[in-house]
Amino acid sequence: MKANYILECCVDSVASAIAAEKGGADRLELCANLIIGGTTPPLSLFHEVKKAVSIPIHVLLRPRFGDFCYDNFEKEMLLYDIRQFERKGADGIVIGALRPDGTLDSEFLSQMLTCSGNMHRTLHRAFDMCRDGSEALHTAASLGFHTILTSGLSNTALEGIETLKELSSQAAELGITIMAGSGIQADTIRTLLNDTSVHAFHMSGKTELDSVMEYRNPHVSMGLPGFSEYLVYQTSREEIKKAKNVFSE
């Protein structure tokens, strides 16, 4: 296995964090509400995960579901949360912000990075919503990001494979890492390793578990349309292990 391969697992529970580490994940991206793309996790979740695992924890900072164009209240929330997680010992932050015109909000991103101390800095998939990937890549590098999480400006990494090739080539010259995300599993990693220079991968490895609830009120639905309250999404140790094993093939 090459030492520079990275497998990051996105988790939103302690159980998932433990499964990811046991499966061989190199680090975690910790969030809440993974089912809607992830939001900022509570400090209590970070505290429990930090007690339960020994691998690095990068924290997603996203105040709400939806776009990445934030108002002043949301920006203050993000700055506050970065300071809190830095004090609590997070190893990295995962952030992003856009302007209405589809460019990175470089001024606000700079403010967030200033608060991040020595933590690892990842630009999340707000990057995939930018109007120009190459422009955003150069902006991110100039701001001081270490990693960009991207699906190649497509819905999944496989769909964006040609763009990932271009981005990873440009990123190598700029000293920033491209991490492929969206639809990542063992077979996807195998394809990307063969066809691109990407060596960092982001996956959830989630599986569906049935709720332990025995009584289920058939007349009430409290979740999002199409999602059952009686399904639990949790990282599968075996899926992470299969993905990690690809690096040794």
Side-chain angles (χ1 to χ4, degrees):
M1 183 186 299
K2 294 183 180 179
N4 64 344
Y5 287 161
I6 297 170
L7 182 62
E8 178 179 276
C9 187
C10 184
V11 301
D12 62 0
S13 70
V14 181
S16 286
I18 293 171
E21 182 176 47
K22 288 182 176 179
D26 297 299
R27 70 183 183 218
L28 303 176
E29 182 199 89
L30 182 65
C31 66
N33 303 309
L34 184 54
I35 198 170
I36 56 170
T39 55
T40 304
L43 282 167
S44 56
L45 176 58
F46 173 79
H47 177 73
E48 291 301 316
V49 169
K50 192 169 177 60
K51 288 195 301 181
V53 304
S54 59
I55 56 178
I57 304 169
H58 293 187
V59 179
L60 174 70
L61 283 304
R62 186 184 181 203
R64 56 165 171 77
F65 169 78
D67 66 34
F68 303 104
C69 191
Y70 298 121
D71 64 26
N72 288 333
F73 298 109
E74 292 165 334
K75 289 180 178 181
E76 288 300 319
M77 291 166 61
L78 284 162
L79 293 171
Y80 175 86
D81 285 336
I82 290 170
R83 296 186 187 102
Q84 292 300 310
F85 283 111
E86 195 272 336
R87 292 182 187 128
K88 295 297 182 180
D91 298 286
I93 54 169
V94 185
I95 59 174
L98 300 179
R99 298 190 184 98
D101 65 358
T103 59
L104 291 177
D105 187 345
S106 54
E107 181 178 350
F108 178 53
L109 287 170
S110 181
Q111 290 180 52
M112 287 196 282
L113 293 176
T114 298
C115 294
S116 68
N118 294 320
M119 291 188 290
H120 187 98
R121 306 160 174 184
T122 298
L123 174 60
H124 61 47
R125 288 188 66 214
F127 177 87
D128 288 323
M129 308 303 286
C130 287
R131 67 183 186 187
D132 186 318
S134 181
E135 176 187 58
L137 171 61
H138 282 79
T139 300
S142 69
L143 287 169
F145 279 97
H146 302 115
T147 301
I148 296 175
L149 172 60
T150 175
S151 57
L153 281 71
S154 299
N155 201 41
T156 68
L158 280 185
E159 292 175 39
I161 191 167
E162 293 302 320
T163 300
L164 285 172
K165 288 181 186 179
E166 297 172 9
L167 291 171
S168 57
S169 177
Q170 294 178 51
E173 298 176 1
L174 295 169
I176 191 169
T177 297
I178 293 295
M179 180 166 58
S182 186
I184 300 297
Q185 54 186 339
D187 288 343
T188 318
I189 292 174
R190 194 173 288 112
T191 298
L192 291 169
L193 286 177
N194 288 333
D195 296 347
T196 76
S197 59
V198 173
H199 62 265
F201 304 90
H202 171 97
M203 67 182 293
S204 65
K206 61 179 177 293
T207 187
E208 292 183 357
L209 302 177
D210 193 37
S211 167
V212 298
M213 284 294 298
E214 296 175 1
Y215 173 73
R216 304 183 179 190
N217 189 336
H219 307 296
V220 177
S221 176
M222 299 179 68
L224 293 171
F227 294 99
S228 170
E229 287 84 9
Y230 304 109
L231 281 180
V232 178
Y233 294 91
Q234 187 171 301
T235 296
S236 165
R237 173 182 177 180
E238 289 306 312
E239 288 301 311
I240 302 303
K241 185 177 180 181
K242 285 193 290 186
K244 188 64 177 288
N245 285 344
V246 174
F247 298 152
S248 301
E249 293 177 355

